[in-house]
């Protein structure tokens, strides 16, 4: 398998200066991304607002958005 350019640069620096730059990488043991599941209220609101409310409930008595005049 071919070596990447970054791998070659790290190996070159290790050979010449003796510094292993991979040891300077910060290892984070926890996720900094906040993961939250949606609440029931948020799910219902998303479902209601889906497709920009093309068919709004209650616009006509039978719930039909289209009507023939």
């Amino acid at each position: 398998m071919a070596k990447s350019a970054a791998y070659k640069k790290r190996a070159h620096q290790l050979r010449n200066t003796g510094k292993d730059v991979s040891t300077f990488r910060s290892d984070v043991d926890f996720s900094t991304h906040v993961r939250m599941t949606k609440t029931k209220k948020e799910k219902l609101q998303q479902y209601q607002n889906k497709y920009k409310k093309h068919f709004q409930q209650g616009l006509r008595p039978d719930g039909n958005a289209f009507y023939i005049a």
Side-chain angles (χ1 to χ4, degrees), residues 18-30:
K19 281 199 296 189
D20 187 13
V21 292
S22 61
T23 58
F24 295 118
R25 294 180 186 155
S26 61
D27 291 333
V28 179
D29 293 335
F30 58 92

Side-chain angles (χ1 to χ4, degrees), residues 43-57:
K43 287 181 186 176
L44 290 173
Q45 186 176 11
Q46 179 187 8
Y47 181 74
Q48 183 183 8
N49 293 337
K50 196 171 184 179
Y51 304 120
K52 298 181 183 178
K53 298 184 189 176
H54 284 278
F55 304 101
Q56 294 179 348
Q57 188 73 332

Side-chain angles (χ1 to χ4, degrees), residues 7-50:
Y7 182 84
K8 290 177 186 177
K9 287 179 184 178
R10 287 193 301 270
H12 178 77
Q13 189 171 12
L14 181 62
R15 275 194 316 270
N16 293 336
T17 62
K19 281 199 296 189
D20 187 13
V21 292
S22 61
T23 58
F24 295 118
R25 294 180 186 155
S26 61
D27 291 333
V28 179
D29 293 335
F30 58 92
S31 175
T32 57
H33 179 76
V34 178
R35 294 178 181 90
M36 287 178 53
T37 57
K38 291 186 177 182
T39 61
K40 183 177 180 180
K41 183 178 179 181
E42 289 172 337
K43 287 181 186 176
L44 290 173
Q45 186 176 11
Q46 179 187 8
Y47 181 74
Q48 183 183 8
N49 293 337
K50 196 171 184 179

